Amino acid sequence: MEIGNKDIHYHLIEAAKRYDQSAQFELYNLYVKAMLNVSFRIVNDRDEAEDVIQEAFVNIFKNIDKYRGESTFGAWVKRIVINASINLLKKRRLDFVDVDEAGGMIDDDFETEEESLSLPAIKSAIMELPEGFRTVLTLYLLEGYDHKEIGEVLGITESTSKSQFNRAKKKLREILKERYQYER
């Protein structure tokens, strides 16, 4: 959060830049829970998300002098966490299918018949998606990236990002329909 041009945590950030461990610890505590959730939505493994967060915060405090206040500190931290999460996925060798190889049309509408499903049910279904689908869906819908940005951070084409997103939506529908039918 910002007030004018200054982040509301400006004094903590400045103290952290001077290697003040109590300020670093306070900043860590302010952001760790939210950033753990961001990472978990991408990597889909609690232990790996915790490892990503630890590595990300080490890098954050090592490079905090590079924070210039052009965005909020939280946005800067989130970008680092997302990049660290994506790097972990790259190490796992994400399996993306290029849209040209996929063939077929891209489905632009995403309407589900299961509008009454609970948010936890939908989140659970998202976590069942294959890694590449889940990553693109999460970055697009939950983190607000556009397909060009997703392509850049994942090292795929914009069209591949769109294809993965549309396939993720289709697969998510299938998972929800299957669950919805069994729960009736």
Side-chain angles (χ1 to χ4, degrees):
M1 290 185 275
E2 277 187 313
I3 300 173
N5 285 340
K6 285 192 177 178
D7 196 290
I8 63 167
H9 303 299
Y10 175 79
H11 296 294
L12 282 175
I13 296 163
E14 290 303 308
K17 285 180 179 181
R18 295 187 302 271
Y19 307 105
D20 179 327
Q21 289 184 342
S22 64
Q24 290 176 343
F25 185 68
E26 196 169 339
L27 284 170
Y28 174 84
N29 284 329
L30 284 168
Y31 292 97
V32 69
K33 186 176 179 184
M35 295 303 111
L36 182 60
N37 288 330
V38 167
S39 182
F40 179 69
R41 285 193 304 260
I42 296 170
V43 302
N44 197 28
D45 181 280
R46 185 59 105 197
D47 291 335
E48 286 185 334
E50 288 174 357
D51 290 345
V52 165
I53 293 304
Q54 295 308 314
E55 180 185 323
F57 273 97
V58 166
N59 287 329
I60 287 163
F61 294 125
K62 190 186 304 182
N63 297 298
I64 197 166
D65 58 315
K66 294 179 182 171
Y67 173 67
R68 303 281 180 232
E70 295 164 357
S71 63
T72 64
F73 186 71
W76 186 73
V77 168
K78 186 176 183 180
R79 171 71 67 171
I80 291 169
V81 168
I82 288 171
N83 288 338
S85 299
I86 290 168
N87 286 339
L88 175 73
L89 293 181
K90 285 179 180 176
K91 286 179 189 170
R92 281 197 221 153
R93 300 272 189 251
L94 275 178
D95 194 17
F96 289 101
V97 178
D98 196 342
V99 72
D100 297 330
E101 295 173 22
M105 300 296 292
I106 292 177
D107 176 18
D108 284 328
D109 62 330
F110 184 45
E111 297 175 28
T112 63
E113 298 167 6
E114 298 83 16
E115 291 175 3
S116 63
L117 286 176
S118 68
L119 186 58
I122 295 169
K123 284 183 177 181
S124 173
I126 289 172
M127 290 305 172
E128 289 181 33
L129 291 171
E131 199 168 80
F133 290 177
R134 187 186 67 253
T135 302
V136 171
L137 185 91
T138 298
L139 291 174
Y140 187 81
L141 290 179
L142 304 177
E143 304 305 334
Y145 282 58
D146 64 31
H147 289 294
K148 183 177 182 189
E149 293 169 321
I150 293 169
E152 289 171 3
V153 297
L154 294 178
I156 60 177
T157 66
E158 186 175 346
S159 60
T160 298
S161 176
K162 289 177 183 178
S163 172
Q164 293 291 295
F165 178 69
N166 284 294
R167 288 169 172 230
K169 292 187 300 184
K170 182 179 179 187
K171 182 68 174 171
L172 184 59
R173 272 192 218 108
E174 291 170 6
I175 292 169
L176 291 172
K177 271 187 179 172
E178 186 175 304
R179 279 190 185 171
Y180 188 67
Q181 287 174 348
Y182 288 128
E183 292 176 7
R184 282 184 172 232

